[in-house]
């Protein structure tokens, strides 16, 4: 919070405050900071509409502010992303919004785009809180699990040899 007194338009500080409040289950602060951040992100996106990371963060902020319909509408506009990290965060957003099929599709696109954080990938597939594990046993989930296991094996081989 102190850093925002020095730089009130610092987008990274704003999203981090929201994420920390979310992790601490401080819903009032989460909503307060999300609502403060949304217009600043909108201003940034008017100037830089192709900033994939900020587009995803904007949609996340809408969710954290309690504006889930707006977050869903923003999430639907993220199907043109190319960055693996942004796609991974989009997958997480879809799951927060209980759209697990879209979450799994964005998750696979993140892997195809080069996202290789195996710990995050494995954690995502097992996440009960957001419900993606509710797709366990479906052909799509099983194929994705196999892909993650293959990446984990490749990562272990690279690190060991």
């Amino acid at each position: 919070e102190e850093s925002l007194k020095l730089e009130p338009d610092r987008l990274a500080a704003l999203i981090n405050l929201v994420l920390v409040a979310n992790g601490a289950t401080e819903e009032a602060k989460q909503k307060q900071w999300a609502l403060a951040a949304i217009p600043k992100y909108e201003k940034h996106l008017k100037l830089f509409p192709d900033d994939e990371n900020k587009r995803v963060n904007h949609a996340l902020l809408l969710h954290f502010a309690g504006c889930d319909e707006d977050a869903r509408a923003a999430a639907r506009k993220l199907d043109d992303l190319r960055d693996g990290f942004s796609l991974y965060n989009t997958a997480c957003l879809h799951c927060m919004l209980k759209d697990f099929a879209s979450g799994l599709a964005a998750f696979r696109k993140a892997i195809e785009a080069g996202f290789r954080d195996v710990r995050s990938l494995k954690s995502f597939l097992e996440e009960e809180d957001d419900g993606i594990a509710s797709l366990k046993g479906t052909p799509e989930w099983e194929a994705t699990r196999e892909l993650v296991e293959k990446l984990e094996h490749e990562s272990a081989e690279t690190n060991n040899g």
Side-chain angles (χ1 to χ4, degrees), residues 108-127:
R108 286 190 62 96
K109 284 176 70 174
I111 294 170
E112 291 165 8
F115 187 76
R116 294 291 186 270
D117 182 338
V118 173
R119 186 179 347 181
S120 294
L121 294 171
K122 288 179 70 175
S123 175
F124 178 90
L125 284 177
E126 300 299 328
E127 187 61 55

Side-chain angles (χ1 to χ4, degrees), residues 24-45:
T25 62
E26 293 185 24
E27 291 183 28
K29 279 196 171 196
Q30 168 191 300
K31 186 172 186 172
Q32 169 197 342
W33 288 114
L35 289 171
I38 289 168
K40 295 174 189 292
Y41 270 78
E42 289 171 348
K43 179 180 176 184
H44 175 86
L45 289 170

Side-chain angles (χ1 to χ4, degrees), residues 30-79:
Q30 168 191 300
K31 186 172 186 172
Q32 169 197 342
W33 288 114
L35 289 171
I38 289 168
K40 295 174 189 292
Y41 270 78
E42 289 171 348
K43 179 180 176 184
H44 175 86
L45 289 170
K46 283 182 183 175
L47 297 171
F48 306 99
D50 297 329
D51 187 334
E52 292 186 2
N53 180 43
K54 299 301 185 290
R55 288 172 58 205
V56 175
N57 286 350
H58 177 254
L60 283 164
L61 289 166
L62 290 167
H63 166 67
F64 288 131
C67 305
D68 281 353
E69 286 307 312
D70 292 335
R72 282 184 188 88
R76 283 191 292 273
K77 295 177 183 174
L78 298 173
D79 60 353

Side-chain angles (χ1 to χ4, degrees), residues 13-27:
L14 286 163
I15 189 74
N16 285 332
L17 278 171
V18 173
L19 295 173
V20 167
N22 176 261
T25 62
E26 293 185 24
E27 291 183 28

